[in-house]
Amino acid sequence: MKLFSYSSCSTCRRAIKWLKNNDITFELIDILNSPPSKEMLISASELYGDRKYLLNTSGVVYRSIGSNVVKEMTDSELFEKLVREPRLIKRPFLYKPNKFFLIGFKEEKWAEKLL
């Protein structure tokens, strides 16, 4: 299981603490240095049913681009942008083989899916 995280993100730190407290083994990956692949992002978008769930809409990068510009992007443009600008990706971003994803941290949801 891979956890894409950003060290300055308090939500990521809460997710890491939760995983450790529940003895769940994971590989911690700095999302800025090694973002999820385009294929991984596409699979997560398909699983969640909408690409909007991938977006860190409260972040500076998203606000600087503007929601209208992001909405007008094609899927291909958006996924390329997410890989180039990983701060746009909602985090933490958890991936398990067989196309299992958890995006963002909600303790109840993570408990339901991982415990």
Side-chain angles (χ1 to χ4, degrees):
M1 179 164 45
K2 297 178 183 219
L3 181 69
F4 294 87
S5 177
Y6 178 51
S7 61
S8 296
C9 172
S10 61
T11 305
C12 293
R13 289 193 301 268
R14 281 198 330 272
I16 291 166
K17 182 178 179 183
W18 184 87
L19 289 167
K20 288 179 178 178
N21 287 343
N22 286 286
D23 295 320
I24 297 172
T25 304
F26 62 97
E27 176 186 355
L28 183 60
I29 300 170
D30 184 326
I31 198 166
L32 299 183
N33 294 328
S34 299
S37 68
K38 183 178 178 181
E39 294 74 23
M40 218 181 267
L41 293 166
I42 291 169
S43 292
S45 174
E46 290 169 351
L47 178 73
Y48 275 77
D50 196 323
R51 65 190 202 171
K52 71 181 180 183
Y53 296 109
L54 300 176
L55 298 170
N56 177 13
T57 56
S58 62
V60 174
V61 175
Y62 182 86
R63 289 193 308 257
S64 71
I65 294 170
S67 63
N68 289 337
V69 172
V70 172
K71 287 176 187 170
E72 294 297 320
M73 289 180 176
T74 65
D75 285 347
S76 180
E77 291 169 334
L78 178 65
F79 293 122
E80 287 295 330
K81 186 75 165 171
L82 289 170
V83 171
R84 284 193 320 273
E85 292 281 356
R87 283 189 172 101
L88 270 174
I89 301 170
K90 186 175 183 97
R91 46 191 193 265
F93 185 97
L94 184 130
Y95 166 74
K96 281 176 62 174
N98 301 321
K99 297 186 178 181
F100 175 95
F101 300 93
L102 288 171
I103 303 169
F105 179 67
K106 299 269 190 246
E107 186 173 338
E108 309 78 38
K109 177 126 180 144
W110 283 43
E112 174 190 320
K113 299 288 185 180
L114 296 173
L115 298 179

